């Protein structure tokens, strides 16, 4: 009987020892496994963070990206926040339309994939139609207002100037004709002629004004003298050679400008510039008043 009891006791000790060893091994395995899993989780977390940062960067780059020559104009963001980061940017702007040359300008700009901004005069709106305006918007162009009469004697006269009234009238008329409402404006002959009261009224009425820092002076040259337009723009662009300051170039819808345009575009590209259209919510505030809120 005693022998039987000793055998049972031995078996119980052996069983307990096996369980203890099993528990120790299991604990060791779980500990090591936990460390590995934790390490992987942290690694994956870091990788996820890196990926999110890269994705965020990609979104930012895409948001600021200027379309290259292979992309359709419609791919250009219609509401860019400002000049593309790290890029030399040129904004081509065209005043005094719509004219008989408008479609010629659009053909060249679309072919070259150059989004641009146009500033139309109210009295000239009948020179284009709703389909043309739709074509412009669909292809990445921006349309702004340039007063109804373009008459400085009325727009800036001392008593009862018509600047705000004309811009408001044109905004409503253009929306009626095209279905497009725009708040982007350019003052004929520049904002230099605006009184401080008119500047404040411009803001109060929800308008966004832009001037320019390069003047092609194309209106000075007779038809057939496209070379003079090109040379004038070239000399001013060269003055910015050591700067990455964005260029806002003033043109008019004239035949000599139309003829010079392909050379101007090539010249700017050769100098490393990309092209954007100036929008009403542009973060770049280019105005002669040096007003960051205008």
């Amino acid at each position: 009987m005693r022998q039987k009891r000793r055998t049972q006791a031995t078996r119980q000790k052996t069983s307990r020892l096996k369980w203890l060893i099993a528990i120790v091994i299991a604990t060791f395995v779980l500990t090591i496994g936990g460390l590995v899993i934790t390490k992987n989780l942290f690694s994956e977390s870091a990788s996820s963070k890196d990926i999110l940062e890269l994705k965020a960067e990609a979104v930012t780059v895409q948001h600021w990206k200027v379309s290259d020559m292979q992309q359709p104009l419609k791919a250009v963001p219609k509401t860019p926040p400002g000049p593309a980061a790290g890029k030399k940017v040129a904004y081509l702007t065209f005043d005094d339309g719509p004219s008989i040359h408008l479609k010629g300008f659009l053909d060249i700009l679309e072919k070259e994939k150059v989004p641009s901004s146009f500033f139309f005069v109210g009295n000239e709106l009948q020179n284009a139609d709703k389909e043309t305006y739709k074509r412009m918007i669909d292809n990445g162009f921006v349309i702004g207002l340039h007063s109804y009469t373009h008459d400085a004697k009325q727009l800036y006269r001392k008593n009862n100037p018509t600047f705000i009234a004309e811009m408001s009238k044109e905004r409503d008329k253009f929306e009626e004709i095209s279905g497009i409402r725009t708040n982007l404006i350019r003052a004929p002959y520049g904002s230099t002629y605006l009184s401080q009261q008119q500047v404040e009224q411009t803001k109060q009425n929800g308008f966004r004004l832009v001037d320019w820092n390069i003047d092609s002076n194309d209106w000075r040259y007779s038809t057939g003298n496209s070379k003079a337009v090109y040379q004038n723009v070239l000399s001013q662009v060269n003055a910015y050679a050591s700067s990455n300051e964005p260029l806002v170039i003033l043109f008019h819808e004239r035949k000599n400008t139309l003829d010079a345009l392909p050379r101007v575009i090539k010249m700017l590209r050769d100098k490393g510039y990309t092209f954007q259209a100036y929008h009403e919510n542009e973060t770049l505030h280019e105005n002669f008043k040096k007003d960051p809120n205008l």
Side-chain angles (χ1 to χ4, degrees):
M1 179 65 69
R2 291 179 179 176
Q3 180 65 33
K4 184 178 181 179
R5 288 178 178 175
R6 281 197 295 270
T7 301
Q8 289 177 345
T10 301
R11 287 177 179 174
Q12 288 175 354
K13 288 180 180 180
T14 302
S15 178
R16 283 197 297 270
L17 181 61
K18 288 179 179 180
W19 276 109
L20 181 60
I21 293 171
I23 291 171
V24 170
I25 292 173
T27 302
F28 179 80
V29 170
L30 289 174
T31 301
I32 297 300
L35 290 173
V36 171
I37 292 171
T38 302
K39 181 179 180 181
N40 288 338
L41 285 174
F42 276 113
S43 297
E44 287 174 8
S45 176
S47 298
S48 298
K49 182 179 179 182
D50 291 340
I51 290 171
L52 287 174
E53 288 178 349
L54 287 172
K55 286 183 176 179
E57 183 180 357
V59 170
T60 303
V61 170
Q62 181 62 31
H63 192 52
W64 290 69
K65 186 179 180 182
V66 179
S67 67
D68 60 33
M69 295 181 66
Q70 303 304 317
Q71 292 178 304
L73 280 178
K74 69 176 70 174
V76 179
K78 287 186 171 58
T79 54
K87 300 284 187 178
K88 295 171 66 177
V89 177
Y91 298 88
L92 304 190
T93 66
F94 302 88
D95 286 7
D96 293 1
S99 71
I100 59 173
H101 303 299
L102 175 59
K103 290 186 178 180
F105 279 100
L106 297 181
D107 289 343
I108 291 173
L109 294 168
E110 287 174 1
K111 178 182 177 182
E112 295 291 339
K113 304 294 185 293
V114 177
S116 306
S117 302
F118 288 78
F119 295 86
F120 291 152
V121 176
N123 286 337
E124 305 297 329
L125 292 177
Q126 73 277 1
N127 293 328
D129 54 27
K130 188 172 183 177
E131 287 304 310
T132 300
Y133 299 136
K134 184 178 184 300
R135 169 189 175 183
M136 294 177 71
I137 297 302
D138 287 347
N139 287 287
F141 297 105
V142 173
I143 299 173
L145 312 172
H146 199 41
S147 82
Y148 223 92
T149 65
H150 205 282
D151 186 346
K153 292 181 180 179
Q154 297 182 55
L155 292 165
Y156 310 121
R157 64 192 179 194
K158 186 174 181 180
N159 296 319
N160 300 315
T162 64
F163 182 79
I164 296 297
E166 288 195 26
M167 291 297 185
S168 298
K169 177 183 177 182
E170 186 184 7
R171 176 167 60 183
D172 292 341
K173 186 64 176 179
F174 184 65
E175 183 176 19
E176 177 187 324
I177 294 172
S178 67
I180 300 163
R181 188 168 183 84
T182 179
N183 298 303
L184 181 64
I185 66 173
R186 171 170 279 161
Y189 312 105
S191 65
T192 302
Y193 293 92
L194 293 176
S195 66
Q196 190 55 41
Q197 182 181 15
Q198 287 174 311
V199 169
E200 295 307 316
Q201 289 174 337
T202 296
K203 300 174 190 176
Q204 292 167 9
N205 282 272
F207 292 116
R208 174 63 187 277
L209 183 146
V210 60
D211 287 311
W212 56 87
N213 54 19
I214 288 185
D215 186 349
S216 69
N217 282 299
D218 51 2
W219 59 274
R220 295 179 180 273
Y221 309 117
S222 59
T223 300
N225 198 0
S226 62
K227 183 177 179 180
V229 177
Y230 172 80
Q231 290 294 338
N232 191 27
V233 174
L234 174 62
S235 63
Q236 293 179 69
V237 171
N238 284 339
Y240 285 89
S242 60
S243 168
N244 284 331
E245 182 176 345
L247 307 180
V248 181
I249 308 177
L250 170 63
F251 294 104
H252 298 82
E253 288 188 33
R254 299 175 60 87
K255 183 61 167 64
N256 54 10
T257 306
L258 183 63
D259 293 339
L261 189 57
R263 290 186 67 197
V264 170
I265 291 172
K266 183 179 185 304
M267 176 267 290
L268 289 168
R269 277 207 172 106
D270 288 346
K271 291 181 178 293
Y273 285 92
T274 55
F275 300 92
Q276 290 181 208
Y278 196 100
H279 291 246
E280 64 184 62
N281 63 343
E282 183 71 44
T283 59
L284 171 67
H285 291 260
E286 185 65 49
N287 61 78
F288 298 147
K289 296 293 185 179
K290 304 300 180 184
D291 188 330
N293 298 310
L294 187 58

